[in-house]
Amino acid sequence: MSPARPIARRMAHIQPFHVMDLLARARRLEAQGRDIVHLEIGEPDFQTPAPIVEAGIRALRAGHTHYTPATGLPALREAIARYYQDVLGADVAPERIVITPGASGALLLVMGILLNPGDQVVMTDPGYPCNRHFVRTFEGEAVSVPVGPETDYQLTAAHLARHWSERTVAAMVATPSNPTGTLADRALLSELLDFTQGRGGALIVDEIYQGLVYEGENGTAAALSEDLFVINSFSKFFGMTGWRLGWVVAPRDCVRELDKLAQNLFLAASTPAQHAALAAFTPACMEILEARREAFRARRDFLLPALRELGLKVPVTPRGAFYLYGDSTAFSEDSFALAERCLEVAGVAITPGLDFGDHLARSHVRFAYTRDLPVLEQAVARLRTFLR
Amino acid sequence: MSPARPIARRMAHIQPFHVMDLLARARRLEAQGRDIVHLEIGEPDFQTPAPIVEAGIRALRAGHTHYTPATGLPALREAIARYYQDVLGADVAPERIVITPGASGALLLVMGILLNPGDQVVMTDPGYPCNRHFVRTFEGEAVSVPVGPETDYQLTAAHLARHWSERTVAAMVATPSNPTGTLADRALLSELLDFTQGRGGALIVDEIYQGLVYEGENGTAAALSEDLFVINSFSKFFGMTGWRLGWVVAPRDCVRELDKLAQNLFLAASTPAQHAALAAFTPACMEILEARREAFRARRDFLLPALRELGLKVPVTPRGAFYLYGDSTAFSEDSFALAERCLEVAGVAITPGLDFGDHLARSHVRFAYTRDLPVLEQAVARLRTFLR
């Protein structure tokens, strides 16, 4: 064997999901016969809704297995545009919608067309861990702004004013957010948009949990202006995680650039998935999805008070997504060690704060209420014993 | 509207597929009632083989719609490893196989872990156009080496010696190649591997047309050494273009880095596609694929002499893939204009050399024999009239 080859410098800054190590350990415990409650992964227990699965099967039977255009199936771009119009009250032309391999693909394209080496993107800490890695991938610099309960863990224009530099080209927010489940309302989004437009920068709004909102606005930043990027996905609300399908709503003058980059980096998103997703907006499917939203709400309404009662501090009631993010210092000064013991001793897998940044990394953990109520009840019973 | 935002500099160097403009024009002609023979796109007319489609449908019915690990379904990695062992005579551990969203995803990951800004990658001109754009995406520099019939349009160690610099970190070859359909045999690959190892660089071998070989070795560079990257795909030989599924065989010490980058950029490849692909290696499916290979061979054996007779110069008989690449200067000094007229006047869509680099861009065109024999016969009849 030759000596280990040099690896690109960016890879020293791109971290794996730490929860994957916990997941692997959970799998080993399960192989030994232990029962583990999985509240660590951001993937619901629900199957893809039957109307979508059936549409996927029909597409396969009909031979829809060839490439689509890089920007996606025209019929799907139109269906998403109608969804924005009818459900979210936003006027979005189909031409501004680019279909991507998951929201991951959308983030890759948007960062790819915006970032020169050294350019900065302002984002929250805690936040979705891949965001800063997408920026690093293109030789940019993520500027992670510590946020807390005083702003619902969201960026404000005051944050941007403090952290915007000559090199900043974009700000990124998520609503509902991961890991905190908080929302950025219309007023806040307007304020952020005014700021970024004033500085000639871009606003990127991650709405991949859009639809999973239990109180407050289930809207879209796309209603505010054409001059921002909205990222969305069929994974979470629509229950299509493994199909890998998402989209971006882009400013008109950026679509050609996104198309070019998509042609080169992906060719196109999955064709069967695109055909299946056409069924996502049918009344039969929307009815299933609404019922699931109510199930998530019931889970939140059970788990949140139960964990608070055990001593987890959750200062802001999460209003969307399927996450509870709380201060665990009542149990341990080190949330990673806590997550490990929680798995080993209580058989409950949760995600350490480390996966969402540095700011609250050692004092916080995330619970994903992606399991059914009886399972959550069992988890709470185990935690009660473990944390006593 | 705000003024057009600044777009990253890389986008000025990342070109769209020029053939897409021709394709759009072809669609307009078809909408007017014209009959167009499509020999421009690298996608065969064959449907995905029935055993793969049926496996996909079974996977959907079984609810296989959740995420897989970022490196792919363990059973699929094992099935691919057995294919290398049994069919290609190469000993490849499943742990070295990383499943990706198409070969595009594989190229993205490999370039992402290898390239620092300014690093160079040596490749052929003509070649697959996205290769240089992947390099540019990561702020590297593609060094395009003009190649011709004297080396079967392949890189040699002599080319590498001439073009390797202090900044070069990798060389890239394709066998069978696009657009020329030529092969790099075992001796040549060994020579290239010796060279790159001697310089501490990486060898990347694109084998996405592997399996579609009509004469000579249908082997794999993975049989030579563990110390190279082999890119492959379910798109071409296995007939799964729109499913977006590929893989990379990597040196052992690079798998962790590829995994990390895949977690962040993709999460994982499509789950239904991965389950469907398990059926690709069954005897029933391999029988279909062998029959298709013979059909491609028959198409080549018809189209190549027919085009040569018309005056297209094809100095090297292509031995794989489904492309004929030839010198069209007998008809026009400008192959792009020729392709346009060929579409408008003869109703035959072909790809101008411009899509494969600069070197032979204006003097060459590519024909993709992705249509059935009667269609090819019609194309030749039309071309005979047009070129007379």
Side-chain angles (χ1 to χ4, degrees), chain A residues 226-364:
Chain A
E226 289 204 1
D227 190 30
L228 41 67
F229 295 87
V230 173
I231 310 283
N232 210 326
S233 168
F234 285 98
S235 289
K236 309 296 183 177
F237 177 57
F238 296 100
M240 293 184 70
T241 47
W243 301 70
R244 312 308 303 117
L245 197 65
W247 74 85
V248 53
V249 179
R252 240 170 244 280
D253 58 344
C254 292
V255 172
R256 179 70 184 138
E257 300 298 324
L258 294 169
D259 182 9
K260 243 169 54 173
L261 196 56
Q263 284 181 23
N264 279 283
L265 300 192
F266 307 137
L267 297 184
S270 159
T271 303
Q274 292 187 67
H275 281 272
L278 286 170
F281 305 105
T282 57
C285 188
M286 291 308 295
E287 200 176 304
I288 294 168
L289 298 174
E290 301 292 337
R292 289 183 179 183
R293 169 165 47 205
E294 291 314 303
F296 279 121
R297 182 203 303 274
R299 294 172 181 190
R300 181 198 65 161
D301 290 349
F302 164 74
L303 193 61
L304 178 60
L307 293 178
R308 279 176 168 160
E309 195 210 313
L310 290 179
L312 187 79
K313 292 191 208 77
V314 185
V316 182
T317 295
R319 296 191 289 164
F322 35 66
Y323 302 119
L324 302 177
Y325 178 76
D327 181 325
S328 55
T329 46
F331 316 117
S332 168
E333 288 303 309
D334 178 353
S335 64
F336 193 82
L338 177 69
E340 286 182 318
R341 281 192 298 117
C342 188
L343 172 64
E344 302 277 351
V345 180
V348 177
I350 57 177
T351 308
L354 204 57
D355 262 343
F356 309 105
D358 296 320
H359 170 43
L360 304 169
R362 291 289 171 180
S363 58
H364 281 64

Side-chain angles (χ1 to χ4, degrees), chain B residues 80 106 111 190 272 282:
Chain B
I80 294 171
M111 297 298 179
S190 288
T282 57

Side-chain angles (χ1 to χ4, degrees), chain B residues 185-379:
Chain B
D185 65 18
R186 196 182 175 94
L188 176 58
L189 290 167
S190 288
E191 175 187 317
L192 296 171
L193 183 64
D194 284 349
F195 185 96
T196 53
Q197 284 182 329
R199 302 293 180 103
L203 181 63
I204 304 167
V205 184
D206 169 351
E207 298 186 351
I208 74 164
Y209 294 94
Q210 189 274 314
L212 293 172
V213 174
Y214 315 112
E215 276 115 47
E217 302 162 11
N218 178 27
T220 172
L224 292 178
S225 165
E226 290 203 0
D227 191 30
L228 41 68
F229 295 86
V230 174
I231 310 285
N232 210 327
S233 168
F234 285 98
S235 290
K236 309 296 183 176
F237 176 57
F238 296 101
M240 293 182 70
T241 46
W243 300 71
R244 312 308 303 119
L245 197 65
W247 72 86
V248 53
V249 180
R252 241 170 244 279
D253 59 344
C254 292
V255 171
R256 180 68 183 138
E257 300 298 325
L258 294 170
D259 182 8
K260 244 170 52 173
L261 196 55
Q263 283 180 24
N264 280 284
L265 300 193
F266 306 136
L267 297 183
S270 159
T271 303
Q274 292 187 67
H275 281 272
L278 286 170
F281 306 104
T282 57
C285 189
M286 291 307 295
E287 200 175 304
I288 294 167
L289 298 174
E290 302 292 337
R292 289 183 179 184
R293 169 164 46 207
E294 291 314 303
F296 280 121
R297 182 203 303 275
R299 294 172 182 190
R300 181 198 65 161
D301 291 348
F302 164 74
L303 192 60
L304 179 60
L307 293 177
R308 279 176 168 160
E309 196 209 313
L310 289 179
L312 187 78
K313 292 191 208 77
V314 186
V316 182
T317 294
R319 296 192 289 164
F322 36 65
Y323 302 120
L324 301 178
Y325 178 75
D327 181 325
S328 54
T329 45
F331 317 117
S332 168
E333 287 304 308
D334 177 353
S335 64
F336 192 82
L338 176 68
E340 286 183 318
R341 279 192 299 119
C342 189
L343 171 63
E344 302 276 352
V345 180
V348 177
I350 57 176
T351 309
L354 204 57
D355 262 343
F356 309 105
D358 296 319
H359 170 43
L360 305 169
R362 292 288 172 180
S363 58
H364 282 64
V365 292
R366 186 191 77 176
F367 291 78
Y369 45 94
T370 49
R371 305 292 137 186
D372 210 357
L373 270 178
V375 181
L376 297 182
E377 284 163 10
Q378 189 181 41

Side-chain angles (χ1 to χ4, degrees), chain A residues 1-18 20-21 41-48 53-54 56-57 60-68 101 104-105 108 111-117 128-131 133-134 136-139 169 197 200-203 226-229 235-236 239-244 251-254 256-258 260-261 263-272, chain B residues 1-18 20-21 41-48 53-54 56-57 60-68 101 104-105 108 111-117 128-131 133-134 136-139 169 197 200-203 226-229 235-236 239-244 251-254 256-258 260-261 263-272:
Chain A
M1 287 298 291
S2 70
R5 85 189 55 255
I7 292 292
R9 289 185 293 274
R10 72 175 60 81
M11 295 309 297
H13 303 111
I14 292 182
Q15 293 168 14
F17 296 165
H18 300 287
M20 286 298 170
D21 292 336
I41 300 290
E43 179 171 51
D45 50 349
F46 295 116
Q47 300 291 338
T48 300
V53 170
E54 291 306 320
I57 290 171
L60 291 181
R61 292 224 186 279
H64 294 314
T65 58
H66 291 276
Y67 295 127
T68 72
S104 304
L108 192 72
M111 297 297 180
I113 70 159
L114 290 180
L115 296 187
N116 283 311
Y128 179 58
C130 303
N131 289 342
H133 300 142
F134 279 109
R136 183 64 186 86
T137 292
F138 293 106
E139 302 296 324
V169 298
Q197 285 183 328
L203 180 63
E226 289 204 1
D227 190 30
L228 41 67
F229 295 87
S235 289
K236 309 296 183 177
M240 293 184 70
T241 47
W243 301 70
R244 312 308 303 117
R252 240 170 244 280
D253 58 344
C254 292
R256 179 70 184 138
E257 300 298 324
L258 294 169
K260 243 169 54 173
L261 196 56
Q263 284 181 23
N264 279 283
L265 300 192
F266 307 137
L267 297 184
S270 159
T271 303
Chain B
M1 288 296 292
S2 69
R5 83 188 56 257
I7 292 293
R9 288 185 293 273
R10 72 175 61 80
M11 295 310 296
H13 303 111
I14 293 181
Q15 292 168 13
F17 296 164
H18 299 287
M20 287 297 171
D21 292 336
I41 301 290
E43 179 172 50
D45 50 349
F46 294 116
Q47 298 292 336
T48 300
V53 170
E54 290 306 320
I57 290 172
L60 290 181
R61 292 223 185 280
H64 294 315
T65 58
H66 291 277
Y67 294 128
T68 71
S104 304
L108 192 72
M111 297 298 179
I113 72 161
L114 290 180
L115 295 188
N116 282 310
Y128 180 58
C130 303
N131 289 341
H133 300 142
F134 280 109
R136 183 63 187 87
T137 292
F138 294 107
E139 302 297 324
V169 298
Q197 284 182 329
L203 181 63
E226 290 203 0
D227 191 30
L228 41 68
F229 295 86
S235 290
K236 309 296 183 176
M240 293 182 70
T241 46
W243 300 71
R244 312 308 303 119
R252 241 170 244 279
D253 59 344
C254 292
R256 180 68 183 138
E257 300 298 325
L258 294 170
K260 244 170 52 173
L261 196 55
Q263 283 180 24
N264 280 284
L265 300 193
F266 306 136
L267 297 183
S270 159
T271 303

Side-chain angles (χ1 to χ4, degrees), chain A residues 112 132 154 169 185 224 229 288 370:
Chain A
R132 62 182 191 275
Q154 293 285 352
V169 298
D185 64 18
L224 292 177
F229 295 87
I288 294 168
T370 49

